[in-house]
Amino acid sequence: MRRLTPFVFLGATVLAAPMLMAVQAPPARAFGTVNTLGQHAEHEHITRAALACPPGTPSDGSCFEPRSLDQIAGRAGTFGAVGAPDTDEILSPAAHCDNADYLAQPGYARTRDQATKELLACVARLQARFAEGVTAAGGTLGADGSVAARETDLAKDCTFTLGVPGRNKCEAVEGFGRALHGVQDFYSHSNWTDKADPGRPTGKNNPPGLNLPAPSALFALGGGQPPQSTAVPAGLTTGCFSLVPLGCSGRVQHGDLNKDSGLVDPVTGATGSPGTARGKTGGNFDRAVQGAVTDTRRQWADFRTALVTRYGKERGERAACVLTHDDPARTC
């Protein structure tokens, strides 16, 4: 999900002009990235609920220690890698799984094939980000397999916007985090986990819900191969979003389908106070969040597997250790 108004807490690394543009831009959609202006840092809290190590517990590879988690999830005053697409990819449908809308009714504005093409473009974009992260992770180690201290130090926060290059740990985290953003948005922006409002007729303002479990097989990003179009459920839709007036006229719109806002406990993933009509229907906000949490954990497990596949067992496991540990030069 993305919003155009709130991206103002970027810190000193972002110039004043982009900040001013962000403030002046019209509101948009997505799980929230910051904790103000109607957002509740939903992306951050989902990521923390999925990937945080228990307090005081060293990582075993399945979770991230606090400082490393800050880089992925963000914290007060930063977006983190998972929020990066809401700073510089806000108008890219593929980064947020938008515009794959479809409704099985005569005369609908898009065919099933057109909607599927848009969805597969999102999957392909996220696969590319995932692969970028795997490639960058290799640079966290020296030729002899030892941890490259300069490439893994987190004395300063990573920068995840506008293509600014950084340390290899930061680059690896960025690829992974940008992939996570789109995966999490899929559950908010689509009807994968949804139920329609039973008190209203189904249609473009109340599309059918698929009520399917997570993780979705469509987002197996580590395999490198896009899903077959035949794997896309016939009734799957995401919302159409456009800044052009009437740009989504007659189509399933983002505003009618999204579950973008609400409260998410960053420790347990428990939810409350859904903020959209679709999110308030039949527990849809909670199902979208739980789907995003589940798939976020799947993505990290697949990322670890991809590291081993790419670099071999010893080097791949050490690279995963580097990404999850706050002082990898000492602990990995």
Side-chain angles (χ1 to χ4, degrees), residues 17-327:
M19 291 174 65
L20 181 60
M21 292 173 61
V23 172
Q24 293 178 337
R29 73 295 187 206
F31 275 142
T33 307
V34 295
N35 199 21
T36 187
L37 298 175
Q39 298 189 49
H40 307 284
E42 288 90 347
H43 274 298
E44 175 191 341
H45 291 181
I46 287 167
T47 304
R48 289 184 177 278
L51 298 179
C53 293
T57 303
S59 176
D60 62 357
S62 66
C63 63
F64 285 74
E65 295 177 356
R67 184 74 176 132
S68 297
L69 184 64
D70 285 348
Q71 307 311 304
I72 298 177
R75 54 182 174 78
T78 73
F79 286 95
V82 75
D86 282 343
T87 69
D88 55 14
E89 293 184 283
I90 53 178
L91 298 180
S92 172
H96 309 268
C97 285
D98 292 325
N99 296 355
D101 57 289
Y102 174 71
L103 197 62
Q105 66 178 29
Y108 188 72
R110 310 196 90 194
T111 66
R112 176 69 265 169
D113 285 347
Q114 288 173 318
T116 295
K117 183 177 180 180
E118 289 282 356
L119 182 70
L120 297 185
C122 172
V123 176
R125 169 71 70 89
L126 303 187
Q127 286 177 324
R129 292 301 193 188
F130 188 101
E132 289 169 3
V134 171
T135 297
T140 64
L141 304 177
D144 64 353
S146 63
V147 176
R150 291 183 60 182
E151 297 297 333
T152 60
D153 178 67
L154 292 180
K156 295 182 179 179
D157 282 329
C158 301
T159 299
F160 299 121
T161 191
L162 300 176
V164 177
R167 291 146 283 170
N168 276 301
K169 177 167 178 172
C170 296
E171 295 291 297
V173 165
E174 179 171 358
F176 179 61
R178 285 181 183 269
L180 285 186
H181 184 104
V183 169
Q184 292 174 2
D185 274 0
F186 170 74
Y187 293 98
S188 175
H189 295 180
S190 77
N191 64 342
W192 184 271
T193 62
D194 274 16
K195 295 179 180 178
D197 183 346
R200 301 165 55 203
T202 57
K204 71 179 185 66
N205 302 121
N206 183 36
L210 299 182
N211 194 24
L212 292 173
S216 168
L218 300 176
F219 287 83
L221 304 182
Q225 296 296 320
Q228 297 294 313
S229 60
T230 53
V232 178
L236 180 64
T237 183
T238 72
C240 174
F241 177 84
S242 175
L243 295 178
V244 178
L246 304 179
C248 292
S249 179
R251 297 167 64 176
V252 176
Q253 296 193 31
H254 175 84
D256 292 318
L257 186 57
N258 80 85
K259 286 76 58 183
D260 285 346
S261 63
L263 301 180
V264 181
D265 188 302
V267 176
T268 67
T271 65
S273 303
T276 69
R278 187 75 171 194
K280 294 175 182 177
T281 298
N284 282 337
F285 176 66
D286 183 69
R287 273 199 300 279
V289 168
Q290 301 315 316
V293 168
T294 297
D295 212 334
T296 296
R297 289 176 178 147
R298 184 265 298 263
Q299 297 304 331
W300 174 241
D302 286 356
F303 197 90
R304 293 173 68 190
T305 298
L307 291 175
V308 171
T309 299
R310 175 77 174 271
Y311 301 111
K313 180 175 173 58
E314 182 177 354
R315 193 176 180 93
E317 289 180 351
R318 181 163 290 174
C321 180
V322 166
L323 299 186
T324 55
H325 285 67
D326 291 346
D327 187 8

